[in-house]
Amino acid sequence: MNIRHFAKTKAIGLQLILIVPFALQIFGAVGLVGYLSFKNGQKAVNDLAAQLMHRTSISVNQHLEAYLSIPHQVIKINADAIRMGLLDVRDRQTVGKYFWHQMQAYDLTYIGIGLTTGYGAGAARYDGKTVVIDDWSPKPLNNLQTYATDDRGNRTRIVSVTNWSSFTETWYAEPVRAGKPLWSRIYTWNYPGHPYIVASAGRPIYDTNNRLLGMVGVDIHLLKLSHFLRNIDVSSSGQVFIIERNGLLIANSGKEQPFTTVKDEIRRLKAIDSPNPIVQGIAKQIQQRFKGFQSISKDTNLRLDFQRELYYVQLTPWRDQYGLDWLVVVSVPESEFMAQIDANTRTTILLCLAALGVACGMGVLTSGWIARPILRLNRASEAITSGNFDQAVEDSRIQELNALANSFNHMARQLRESFTALEKSNAELEDRVEDRTVELKNALSQLQRTQSQIIQSEKMSSLGQLVAGVAHEINNPVNFIHGNLVHTQQYAQDLLKFVQLYQQHYPNPADEIQIAAEEIDLEFLQEDLPKMLSSMKMGTDRIRQIVLSLRNFSRMDEAEFKPVDIHEGINSTLLILQHRLKNRPERPSIEVIQDYGSLPLVECYAGQLNQVFMNILTNAIDALEDGNASRTFQDIQANPNQIKIMTSVVDGHWVQIAIADNGPGIPQDIQQQIFNPFFTTKPIGKGTGMGMSISYQIVTEKHNGKLECFSTPGEGTEFVIQIPIR
């Protein structure tokens, strides 16, 4: 029988033919009006953003000029007073009191003088509130005294004494060397609870005969610029920040500070490393576009794409006559201004949809009486395709459609009879396939377990080879260093004794020798060199101990059964896990209690047994850390985390190792599954579900021993290992 195949033609729905033309006309008209409105609004946004950024830049520039002009005004007043003889720099008590009164009048961090004779005086606001007076001399020790004052600036008591020299400070050396007023390099210091980023203004001072006396300087706190920037109404999510030409942040309008604290040391951040993602991203794009920040010499407006959002950015160079050369960056996201335009766009879209709905409604009313009989026939056909053969199409008032419905009903009856016979044959086939599928699943599960165990064994073997190799390669150079340190220490002691003997017999050396001794700080070198060599020897001892533990843990030379010290393997495993046991910011250290009995040497696979110790101890640490998630630091201190390891001999033929923790415990329903392959309660990516399964196989199959788990929820878990001594 020949069957004709007709080419498949893409059909169009009747309702679409009636609805689409009318809907497109309305939709196109409303859409065109919306598009023109959007483009005009976008142009207005660009103009508004430029005006806002320009106004902000002017405000920042005016504040910088006003704020940073004060230090140079103050030092000029002081330098003129000294030149005219109104202020005697030799009377440091009067000078300090004079500076104290200036500190009351100006919002400054420090005012002081440093003389070429090594003397100096100043007034400081170290804690941000209280003004104290500094007084120093060229004496070698305890030459800087800091005084508390009364409410009139009179010195009352010494609050601190320290060693200090103004000659080594950039705020002294740079203006004296330049011979003119300038800003020295920005520096940082950390008074307890008060971090400072300071700009220091300095100028040389002369007496009435125009002889150089030293310099006068004023420090100003740059972090206060950040407070000003945060109060600028640029926008709810806009950012303003100021940077040096080398990229270091000076101030920013965000909550994040332009510095970080490392071991009580203030370290300034570059703009490209700022914790504020907007400042960081914009700075990186500016740096890439201009190959750094040095080449930006005039006001520049940019549009930058950052985190899938457009930002308007204005770059404004700021300079003063005393050497400052900064860059003011103002950024505003486009979304701040596009909100109303987006709202209008949404309104246009709603109008388009409403117009489309009206057009569709009119088309539906027109085409409904034609399309309904065809749709009924279509629904019946789809139901048969889905397996529901109990279908019959009702007659309609259209003669041609009635003939089509009768033919469809006859076809449905024949399909129903054929499908009933097919279902009976299919049921028999499914039963046979299901039995075979169960057999294949069981075989696949066994194959997966075997494959995972082989992979894990190969990983541990490779890891053991790597650890043993690294330990061997480290051990040789460390032994070379450790052996030579003893001779180095003896040679150093001999040389130091020789220098001391020379100093005893020649207490007044030549000037060149005396200068060289001061430059290398000979006294400190004599005191610190033996300590440094002792520290190096202690460090090499520690490295040798770690290398020995790594070699013990890997046991690459003990692949066969061999008598070993079980305690040595446990201790090596604990040393490797020391980084997880020690204290952390969120918890104190985990206490390990080692209750070791007297054990003989045990014949075992040492490397594999160390793997069992590692798996159990790692799970114990994980359980303790999971339990700590719901506890405070004080709760953990009151009831500290503990892991207890107990060893003993049982019945004279068995060795027992018990590892217990005081964690949250394991629920009873989970205890029955912990040794099953691929079972884990850890998040995806943290646990494979093979650790305890392989440990159980190593203890029971490789060593003919026992591995049991005892756990009480809320009290802790204990794993007990028993293996024969021989």
Side-chain angles (χ1 to χ4, degrees):
M1 179 178 181
N2 294 327
I3 301 176
R4 290 186 63 187
H5 295 277
F6 295 95
K8 189 173 182 180
T9 304
K10 187 174 181 180
I12 301 176
L14 179 61
Q15 291 183 338
L16 289 179
I17 293 175
L18 297 174
I19 296 171
V20 168
F22 184 68
L24 287 178
Q25 293 177 11
I26 298 177
F27 190 81
V30 178
L32 180 60
V33 173
Y35 173 76
L36 295 175
S37 299
F38 177 80
K39 296 301 290 185
N40 292 332
Q42 195 171 44
K43 182 178 182 303
V45 164
N46 292 337
D47 296 339
L48 180 61
Q51 294 174 9
L52 176 62
M53 292 190 297
H54 181 66
R55 184 191 67 192
T56 302
S57 296
I58 291 176
S59 176
V60 173
N61 289 342
Q62 290 174 347
H63 181 77
L64 289 176
E65 291 173 359
Y67 186 65
L68 296 177
S69 65
I70 295 174
H72 281 282
Q73 293 174 2
V74 172
I75 62 175
K76 185 177 185 306
I77 292 172
N78 294 339
D80 291 342
I82 294 171
R83 180 187 289 272
M84 291 186 294
L86 301 177
L87 189 63
D88 187 359
V89 296
R90 293 171 298 179
D91 185 0
R92 299 197 307 279
Q93 187 162 358
T94 301
V95 170
K97 186 175 181 179
Y98 174 74
F99 290 158
W100 184 91
H101 283 284
Q102 283 190 329
M103 291 290 288
Q104 307 301 320
Y106 297 102
D107 184 15
L108 301 172
T109 302
Y110 194 90
I111 306 176
I113 59 170
L115 303 180
T116 57
T117 59
Y119 290 91
R125 191 177 281 110
Y126 291 122
D127 62 356
K129 298 178 181 178
T130 307
V131 180
V132 296
I133 294 176
D134 287 345
D135 192 333
W136 66 88
S137 66
K139 294 191 301 181
L141 296 175
N142 299 327
N143 62 327
L144 172 62
Q145 294 88 33
T146 300
Y147 295 87
T149 66
D150 58 17
D151 57 358
R152 295 185 178 181
N154 298 311
R155 306 181 185 188
T156 57
R157 59 185 176 85
I158 296 177
V159 295
S160 68
V161 177
T162 186
N163 300 328
W164 192 75
S165 173
S166 59
F167 295 140
T168 61
E169 300 296 326
T170 58
W171 61 265
Y172 173 86
E174 291 183 359
V176 169
R177 184 167 55 248
K180 63 180 181 180
L182 50 71
W183 291 98
S184 60
R185 283 169 290 178
I186 296 174
Y187 66 94
T188 64
W189 51 281
N190 190 10
Y191 187 82
H194 299 277
Y196 285 88
I197 298 179
V198 174
S200 182
R203 71 187 293 150
I205 54 176
Y206 304 90
D207 63 8
T208 55
N209 295 322
N210 206 33
R211 288 178 300 183
L212 179 66
L213 298 177
M215 60 78 63
V216 60
V218 169
D219 290 353
I220 192 165
H221 196 357
L222 295 183
L223 288 181
K224 293 186 178 181
L225 292 177
S226 293
H227 302 322
F228 168 75
L229 296 181
R230 294 187 187 107
N231 293 326
I232 294 179
D233 185 19
V234 58
S235 70
S236 60
S237 58
Q239 292 290 332
V240 184
F241 58 95
I242 306 172
I243 59 176
E244 292 187 88
R245 291 297 180 151
N246 58 9
L248 288 174
L249 268 174
I250 297 171
N252 60 272
S253 61
K255 297 180 180 179
E256 299 81 2
Q257 295 288 5
F259 63 87
T260 183
T261 304
V262 180
K263 295 182 179 179
D264 294 331
E265 178 185 353
I266 301 299
R267 294 185 182 176
R268 296 178 62 196
L269 293 173
K270 288 191 174 182
I272 60 175
D273 298 325
S274 171
N276 186 309
I278 298 177
V279 173
Q280 181 186 115
I282 290 176
K284 285 182 178 178
Q285 292 198 42
I286 295 173
Q287 185 182 50
Q288 292 172 359
R289 177 170 295 192
F290 294 96
K291 308 300 182 183
F293 303 100
Q294 301 289 346
S295 61
I296 304 173
S297 58
K298 60 181 181 180
D299 293 358
T300 305
N301 292 327
L302 304 172
R303 290 186 71 190
L304 301 179
D305 189 358
F306 174 64
Q307 292 183 345
R308 298 182 179 179
E309 184 172 5
L310 282 176
Y311 278 79
Y312 297 100
V313 179
Q314 185 175 65
L315 310 177
T316 305
W318 187 88
R319 303 178 180 89
D320 73 350
Q321 60 181 321
Y322 301 109
L324 288 184
D325 187 5
W326 295 350
L327 192 64
V328 179
V329 182
V330 181
S331 66
V332 181
E334 187 183 54
S335 59
E336 290 285 335
F337 307 96
M338 292 295 291
Q340 186 59 47
I341 295 177
D342 291 340
N344 293 337
T345 302
R346 287 192 293 270
T347 302
T348 302
I349 293 174
L350 290 176
L351 290 175
C352 291
L353 294 176
L356 184 62
V358 171
C360 291
M362 295 178 65
V364 167
L365 292 175
T366 305
S367 62
W369 68 277
I370 299 174
R372 286 193 193 95
I374 299 175
L375 291 176
R376 284 199 299 267
L377 180 61
N378 182 57
R379 285 194 294 270
S381 301
E382 290 178 350
I384 290 177
T385 304
S386 302
N388 184 7
F389 294 97
D390 295 329
Q391 297 296 321
V393 179
E394 298 178 357
D395 292 338
S396 67
R397 285 177 280 180
I398 300 175
Q399 185 176 1
E400 290 80 2
L401 293 178
N402 283 338
L404 181 60
N406 292 331
S407 299
F408 177 84
N409 292 335
H410 178 68
M411 179 190 68
R413 284 193 298 271
Q414 289 183 335
L415 284 175
R416 190 162 49 245
E417 294 172 356
S418 301
F419 190 74
T420 301
L422 182 61
E423 281 184 335
K424 183 177 180 181
S425 300
N426 189 45
E428 296 177 356
L429 181 60
E430 285 181 351
D431 292 339
R432 293 164 59 188
V433 171
E434 186 176 354
D435 294 340
R436 185 59 178 167
T437 301
V438 171
E439 295 177 2
L440 291 174
K441 284 183 178 179
N442 293 336
L444 179 60
S445 177
Q446 181 63 32
L447 179 60
Q448 289 176 335
R449 286 196 296 269
T450 304
Q451 181 184 21
S452 299
Q453 291 173 358
I454 292 173
I455 292 172
Q456 185 70 12
S457 298
E458 287 299 321
K459 284 182 179 179
M460 291 307 298
S461 175
S462 299
L463 179 61
Q465 292 176 2
L466 176 62
V467 169
V470 170
H472 177 73
E473 291 300 326
I474 293 175
N475 192 44
N476 288 336
V478 167
N479 284 337
F480 175 76
I481 296 171
H482 183 77
N484 285 323
L485 274 177
V486 177
H487 303 293
T488 303
Q489 196 168 21
Q490 182 62 44
Y491 297 158
Q493 290 175 355
D494 293 342
L495 288 173
L496 292 177
K497 288 179 181 179
F498 179 77
V499 171
Q500 292 174 357
L501 185 62
Y502 176 82
Q503 290 175 334
Q504 291 175 3
H505 290 281
Y506 298 95
N508 299 312
D511 291 342
E512 184 177 356
I513 296 176
Q514 181 66 28
I515 292 172
E518 292 177 357
E519 287 179 352
I520 66 174
D521 199 351
L522 181 60
E523 291 182 3
F524 174 76
L525 187 147
Q526 289 174 323
E527 178 183 354
D528 191 56
L529 181 58
K531 296 179 182 178
M532 181 173 64
L533 290 173
S534 298
S535 298
M536 292 171 65
K537 187 173 182 300
M538 187 183 303
T540 57
D541 287 337
R542 177 63 175 165
I543 294 173
R544 292 175 69 195
Q545 183 182 359
I546 293 173
V547 168
L548 180 60
S549 297
L550 289 173
R551 294 179 67 181
N552 287 336
F553 181 80
S554 65
R555 297 284 190 175
M556 286 306 298
D557 56 343
E558 299 178 12
E560 299 298 331
F561 253 52
K562 181 179 180 180
V564 297
D565 185 354
I566 294 295
H567 294 158
E568 185 178 296
I570 297 174
N571 292 336
S572 297
T573 305
L574 288 173
L575 182 60
I576 293 172
L577 290 173
Q578 188 63 36
H579 69 286
R580 294 200 61 191
L581 296 170
K582 64 183 181 182
N583 60 322
R584 296 183 178 179
E586 68 273 9
R587 63 159 176 81
S589 61
I590 298 174
E591 181 182 358
V592 178
I593 302 171
Q594 295 166 277
D595 184 7
Y596 291 168
S598 179
L599 300 184
L601 296 180
V602 179
E603 291 183 352
C604 62
Y605 292 107
Q608 294 185 10
L609 206 55
N610 286 345
Q611 181 184 352
V612 175
F613 297 151
M614 176 67 75
N615 287 337
I616 296 177
L617 287 170
T618 300
N619 285 342
I621 295 172
D622 290 342
L624 291 172
E625 290 181 343
D626 290 343
N628 290 339
S630 59
R631 303 171 65 196
T632 64
F633 192 92
Q634 291 74 17
D635 291 339
I636 302 174
Q637 276 187 323
N639 298 289
N641 299 142
Q642 291 182 344
I643 295 177
K644 187 172 184 180
I645 305 174
M646 299 164 287
T647 62
S648 60
V649 177
V650 180
D651 297 334
H653 301 289
W654 296 78
V655 168
Q656 177 172 293
I657 304 102
I659 301 176
D661 64 70
N662 61 345
I666 303 174
Q668 188 65 35
D669 56 333
I670 295 179
Q671 291 182 36
Q672 308 300 324
Q673 306 178 63
I674 59 173
F675 297 125
N676 292 344
F678 307 108
F679 177 78
T680 179
T681 59
K682 298 178 182 178
I684 296 175
K686 189 175 181 181
T688 63
M690 292 302 300
M692 294 310 300
S693 173
I694 292 174
S695 298
Y696 187 81
Q697 181 186 23
I698 290 173
V699 173
T700 58
E701 297 181 14
K702 299 287 187 179
H703 294 85
N704 295 322
K706 303 176 183 177
L707 176 56
E708 297 177 297
C709 173
F710 304 95
S711 181
T712 302
E715 297 182 7
T717 303
E718 180 180 23
F719 284 90
V720 178
I721 304 169
Q722 287 187 352
I723 58 174
I725 297 175
R726 288 177 177 80

mmCIF file of all heavy atoms in Angstrom, residues 302-325:
data_model
loop_
_atom_site.group_PDB
_atom_site.id
_atom_site.type_symbol
_atom_site.label_atom_id
_atom_site.label_comp_id
_atom_site.label_asym_id
_atom_site.label_seq_id
_atom_site.Cartn_x
_atom_site.Cartn_y
_atom_site.Cartn_z
ATOM 1 N N LEU A 302 33.098 61.279 32.427
ATOM 2 C CA LEU A 302 33.088 59.936 31.852
ATOM 3 C C LEU A 302 31.740 59.277 32.105
ATOM 4 O O LEU A 302 30.984 59.672 33.008
ATOM 5 C CB LEU A 302 34.189 59.068 32.490
ATOM 6 C CG LEU A 302 35.637 59.574 32.433
ATOM 7 C CD1 LEU A 302 36.514 58.678 33.284
ATOM 8 C CD2 LEU A 302 36.128 59.588 31.005
ATOM 9 N N ARG A 303 31.459 58.248 31.306
ATOM 10 C CA ARG A 303 30.343 57.325 31.582
ATOM 11 C C ARG A 303 30.942 55.925 31.626
ATOM 12 O O ARG A 303 31.464 55.422 30.636
ATOM 13 C CB ARG A 303 29.269 57.405 30.501
ATOM 14 C CG ARG A 303 28.476 58.690 30.508
ATOM 15 C CD ARG A 303 27.335 58.641 29.501
ATOM 16 N NE ARG A 303 26.291 57.733 29.925
ATOM 17 C CZ ARG A 303 25.280 57.351 29.154
ATOM 18 N NH1 ARG A 303 25.208 57.774 27.914
ATOM 19 N NH2 ARG A 303 24.365 56.532 29.614
ATOM 20 N N LEU A 304 30.866 55.304 32.817
ATOM 21 C CA LEU A 304 31.497 53.999 33.021
ATOM 22 C C LEU A 304 30.437 52.952 33.308
ATOM 23 O O LEU A 304 29.450 53.216 34.011
ATOM 24 C CB LEU A 304 32.487 54.059 34.200
ATOM 25 C CG LEU A 304 33.634 55.078 34.057
ATOM 26 C CD1 LEU A 304 34.508 55.043 35.291
ATOM 27 C CD2 LEU A 304 34.457 54.797 32.808
ATOM 28 N N ASP A 305 30.649 51.769 32.757
ATOM 29 C CA ASP A 305 29.743 50.639 32.975
ATOM 30 C C ASP A 305 30.329 49.774 34.082
ATOM 31 O O ASP A 305 31.392 49.179 33.918
ATOM 32 C CB ASP A 305 29.597 49.833 31.687
ATOM 33 C CG ASP A 305 28.493 48.777 31.805
ATOM 34 O OD1 ASP A 305 27.894 48.675 32.886
ATOM 35 O OD2 ASP A 305 28.245 48.068 30.820
ATOM 36 N N PHE A 306 29.636 49.730 35.228
ATOM 37 C CA PHE A 306 30.143 48.977 36.388
ATOM 38 C C PHE A 306 28.999 48.177 36.995
ATOM 39 O O PHE A 306 27.943 48.721 37.323
ATOM 40 C CB PHE A 306 30.724 49.947 37.420
ATOM 41 C CG PHE A 306 31.150 49.289 38.704
ATOM 42 C CD1 PHE A 306 32.191 48.361 38.702
ATOM 43 C CD2 PHE A 306 30.513 49.577 39.893
ATOM 44 C CE1 PHE A 306 32.574 47.755 39.882
ATOM 45 C CE2 PHE A 306 30.900 48.968 41.071
ATOM 46 C CZ PHE A 306 31.937 48.052 41.059
ATOM 47 N N GLN A 307 29.235 46.856 37.128
ATOM 48 C CA GLN A 307 28.234 45.941 37.700
ATOM 49 C C GLN A 307 26.883 46.091 36.994
ATOM 50 O O GLN A 307 25.829 46.215 37.609
ATOM 51 C CB GLN A 307 28.082 46.176 39.203
ATOM 52 C CG GLN A 307 29.313 45.784 40.009
ATOM 53 C CD GLN A 307 29.110 45.969 41.506
ATOM 54 O OE1 GLN A 307 28.173 46.641 41.943
ATOM 55 N NE2 GLN A 307 29.979 45.378 42.288
ATOM 56 N N ARG A 308 26.945 46.112 35.662
ATOM 57 C CA ARG A 308 25.750 46.176 34.816
ATOM 58 C C ARG A 308 24.927 47.440 35.050
ATOM 59 O O ARG A 308 23.707 47.455 34.890
ATOM 60 C CB ARG A 308 24.860 44.944 35.037
ATOM 61 C CG ARG A 308 25.548 43.633 34.664
ATOM 62 C CD ARG A 308 24.605 42.465 34.856
ATOM 63 N NE ARG A 308 25.248 41.208 34.485
ATOM 64 C CZ ARG A 308 24.669 40.018 34.577
ATOM 65 N NH1 ARG A 308 23.420 39.920 34.998
ATOM 66 N NH2 ARG A 308 25.316 38.919 34.234
ATOM 67 N N GLU A 309 25.607 48.513 35.452
ATOM 68 C CA GLU A 309 24.921 49.786 35.650
ATOM 69 C C GLU A 309 25.842 50.902 35.185
ATOM 70 O O GLU A 309 27.052 50.870 35.422
ATOM 71 C CB GLU A 309 24.546 49.983 37.120
ATOM 72 C CG GLU A 309 23.741 51.240 37.351
ATOM 73 C CD GLU A 309 23.213 51.334 38.772
ATOM 74 O OE1 GLU A 309 23.568 50.470 39.582
ATOM 75 O OE2 GLU A 309 22.436 52.262 39.060
ATOM 76 N N LEU A 310 25.252 51.912 34.510
ATOM 77 C CA LEU A 310 26.029 53.044 34.035
ATOM 78 C C LEU A 310 26.227 54.061 35.151
ATOM 79 O O LEU A 310 25.292 54.351 35.918
ATOM 80 C CB LEU A 310 25.320 53.714 32.852
ATOM 81 C CG LEU A 310 25.452 53.002 31.489
ATOM 82 C CD1 LEU A 310 24.614 53.721 30.449
ATOM 83 C CD2 LEU A 310 26.903 52.936 31.048
ATOM 84 N N TYR A 311 27.448 54.616 35.262
ATOM 85 C CA TYR A 311 27.774 55.642 36.247
ATOM 86 C C TYR A 311 28.285 56.886 35.514
ATOM 87 O O TYR A 311 29.103 56.793 34.594
ATOM 88 C CB TYR A 311 28.855 55.152 37.208
ATOM 89 C CG TYR A 311 28.330 54.293 38.330
ATOM 90 C CD1 TYR A 311 28.032 52.951 38.120
ATOM 91 C CD2 TYR A 311 28.131 54.818 39.601
ATOM 92 C CE1 TYR A 311 27.553 52.156 39.147
ATOM 93 C CE2 TYR A 311 27.650 54.036 40.639
ATOM 94 C CZ TYR A 311 27.361 52.706 40.407
ATOM 95 O OH TYR A 311 26.892 51.929 41.434
ATOM 96 N N TYR A 312 27.779 58.050 35.921
ATOM 97 C CA TYR A 312 28.351 59.311 35.486
ATOM 98 C C TYR A 312 29.504 59.635 36.430
ATOM 99 O O TYR A 312 29.342 59.642 37.650
ATOM 100 C CB TYR A 312 27.310 60.428 35.536
ATOM 101 C CG TYR A 312 26.147 60.224 34.615
ATOM 102 C CD1 TYR A 312 24.931 59.721 35.086
ATOM 103 C CD2 TYR A 312 26.237 60.524 33.256
ATOM 104 C CE1 TYR A 312 23.852 59.523 34.245
ATOM 105 C CE2 TYR A 312 25.151 60.338 32.405
ATOM 106 C CZ TYR A 312 23.969 59.828 32.902
ATOM 107 O OH TYR A 312 22.906 59.636 32.069
ATOM 108 N N VAL A 313 30.668 59.918 35.880
ATOM 109 C CA VAL A 313 31.873 60.149 36.690
ATOM 110 C C VAL A 313 32.527 61.446 36.239
ATOM 111 O O VAL A 313 32.698 61.684 35.034
ATOM 112 C CB VAL A 313 32.879 58.976 36.557
ATOM 113 C CG1 VAL A 313 34.133 59.258 37.386
ATOM 114 C CG2 VAL A 313 32.240 57.673 36.997
ATOM 115 N N GLN A 314 32.900 62.298 37.230
ATOM 116 C CA GLN A 314 33.636 63.525 36.938
ATOM 117 C C GLN A 314 34.963 63.500 37.690
ATOM 118 O O GLN A 314 34.998 63.248 38.899
ATOM 119 C CB GLN A 314 32.840 64.764 37.336
ATOM 120 C CG GLN A 314 33.543 66.062 36.930
ATOM 121 C CD GLN A 314 32.701 67.276 37.209
ATOM 122 O OE1 GLN A 314 32.407 67.584 38.352
ATOM 123 N NE2 GLN A 314 32.284 67.986 36.157
ATOM 124 N N LEU A 315 36.066 63.751 36.973
ATOM 125 C CA LEU A 315 37.406 63.787 37.557
ATOM 126 C C LEU A 315 37.865 65.240 37.598
ATOM 127 O O LEU A 315 37.865 65.931 36.571
ATOM 128 C CB LEU A 315 38.389 62.957 36.717
ATOM 129 C CG LEU A 315 37.942 61.531 36.356
ATOM 130 C CD1 LEU A 315 38.984 60.867 35.480
ATOM 131 C CD2 LEU A 315 37.711 60.719 37.612
ATOM 132 N N THR A 316 38.247 65.730 38.802
ATOM 133 C CA THR A 316 38.666 67.120 38.968
ATOM 134 C C THR A 316 40.021 67.154 39.666
ATOM 135 O O THR A 316 40.126 66.764 40.836
ATOM 136 C CB THR A 316 37.636 67.901 39.810
ATOM 137 O OG1 THR A 316 36.345 67.777 39.201
ATOM 138 C CG2 THR A 316 38.024 69.360 39.898
ATOM 139 N N PRO A 317 41.113 67.554 38.979
ATOM 140 C CA PRO A 317 42.406 67.719 39.665
ATOM 141 C C PRO A 317 42.319 68.866 40.672
ATOM 142 O O PRO A 317 41.687 69.903 40.406
ATOM 143 C CB PRO A 317 43.377 68.040 38.529
ATOM 144 C CG PRO A 317 42.675 67.600 37.270
ATOM 145 C CD PRO A 317 41.221 67.788 37.527
ATOM 146 N N TRP A 318 42.972 68.681 41.854
ATOM 147 C CA TRP A 318 43.018 69.739 42.874
ATOM 148 C C TRP A 318 44.465 69.923 43.308
ATOM 149 O O TRP A 318 45.131 68.979 43.737
ATOM 150 C CB TRP A 318 42.147 69.377 44.070
ATOM 151 C CG TRP A 318 42.039 70.511 45.044
ATOM 152 C CD1 TRP A 318 41.144 71.512 45.048
ATOM 153 C CD2 TRP A 318 42.913 70.754 46.168
ATOM 154 N NE1 TRP A 318 41.366 72.386 46.077
ATOM 155 C CE2 TRP A 318 42.455 71.943 46.795
ATOM 156 C CE3 TRP A 318 44.019 70.114 46.689
ATOM 157 C CZ2 TRP A 318 43.074 72.476 47.912
ATOM 158 C CZ3 TRP A 318 44.649 70.646 47.814
ATOM 159 C CH2 TRP A 318 44.181 71.814 48.416
ATOM 160 N N ARG A 319 44.961 71.155 43.180
ATOM 161 C CA ARG A 319 46.342 71.454 43.550
ATOM 162 C C ARG A 319 46.370 72.720 44.392
ATOM 163 O O ARG A 319 45.471 73.558 44.311
ATOM 164 C CB ARG A 319 47.217 71.660 42.302
ATOM 165 C CG ARG A 319 47.223 70.489 41.343
ATOM 166 C CD ARG A 319 48.088 70.814 40.126
ATOM 167 N NE ARG A 319 48.118 69.711 39.172
ATOM 168 C CZ ARG A 319 47.253 69.545 38.187
ATOM 169 N NH1 ARG A 319 46.261 70.424 38.044
ATOM 170 N NH2 ARG A 319 47.350 68.524 37.352
ATOM 171 N N ASP A 320 47.431 72.848 45.234
ATOM 172 C CA ASP A 320 47.660 74.100 45.932
ATOM 173 C C ASP A 320 49.106 74.526 45.729
ATOM 174 O O ASP A 320 49.927 73.800 45.152
ATOM 175 C CB ASP A 320 47.295 73.997 47.415
ATOM 176 C CG ASP A 320 48.301 73.186 48.217
ATOM 177 O OD1 ASP A 320 49.181 72.542 47.610
ATOM 178 O OD2 ASP A 320 48.211 73.188 49.456
ATOM 179 N N GLN A 321 49.445 75.723 46.192
ATOM 180 C CA GLN A 321 50.769 76.297 45.942
ATOM 181 C C GLN A 321 51.865 75.637 46.761
ATOM 182 O O GLN A 321 53.053 75.915 46.550
ATOM 183 C CB GLN A 321 50.725 77.795 46.270
ATOM 184 C CG GLN A 321 50.347 78.102 47.726
ATOM 185 C CD GLN A 321 50.297 79.587 48.007
ATOM 186 O OE1 GLN A 321 51.128 80.317 47.508
ATOM 187 N NE2 GLN A 321 49.305 80.034 48.790
ATOM 188 N N TYR A 322 51.489 74.739 47.715
ATOM 189 C CA TYR A 322 52.497 74.143 48.586
ATOM 190 C C TYR A 322 52.806 72.693 48.223
ATOM 191 O O TYR A 322 53.455 71.996 49.004
ATOM 192 C CB TYR A 322 52.044 74.232 50.039
ATOM 193 C CG TYR A 322 51.799 75.647 50.492
ATOM 194 C CD1 TYR A 322 50.501 76.108 50.719
ATOM 195 C CD2 TYR A 322 52.853 76.541 50.661
ATOM 196 C CE1 TYR A 322 50.265 77.411 51.121
ATOM 197 C CE2 TYR A 322 52.627 77.850 51.067
ATOM 198 C CZ TYR A 322 51.335 78.288 51.298
ATOM 199 O OH TYR A 322 51.120 79.573 51.682
ATOM 200 N N GLY A 323 52.332 72.236 47.065
ATOM 201 C CA GLY A 323 52.775 70.932 46.585
ATOM 202 C C GLY A 323 51.731 69.837 46.580
ATOM 203 O O GLY A 323 52.009 68.733 46.105
ATOM 204 N N LEU A 324 50.526 70.059 47.117
ATOM 205 C CA LEU A 324 49.507 69.010 47.077
ATOM 206 C C LEU A 324 48.981 68.865 45.647
ATOM 207 O O LEU A 324 48.716 69.864 44.961
ATOM 208 C CB LEU A 324 48.354 69.331 48.018
ATOM 209 C CG LEU A 324 48.640 69.214 49.515
ATOM 210 C CD1 LEU A 324 47.374 69.468 50.315
ATOM 211 C CD2 LEU A 324 49.219 67.844 49.861
ATOM 212 N N ASP A 325 48.803 67.631 45.201
ATOM 213 C CA ASP A 325 48.290 67.334 43.857
ATOM 214 C C ASP A 325 47.372 66.125 43.960
ATOM 215 O O ASP A 325 47.820 64.987 43.899
ATOM 216 C CB ASP A 325 49.448 67.067 42.897
ATOM 217 C CG ASP A 325 48.955 66.936 41.452
ATOM 218 O OD1 ASP A 325 47.754 67.156 41.219
ATOM 219 O OD2 ASP A 325 49.772 66.599 40.578
#
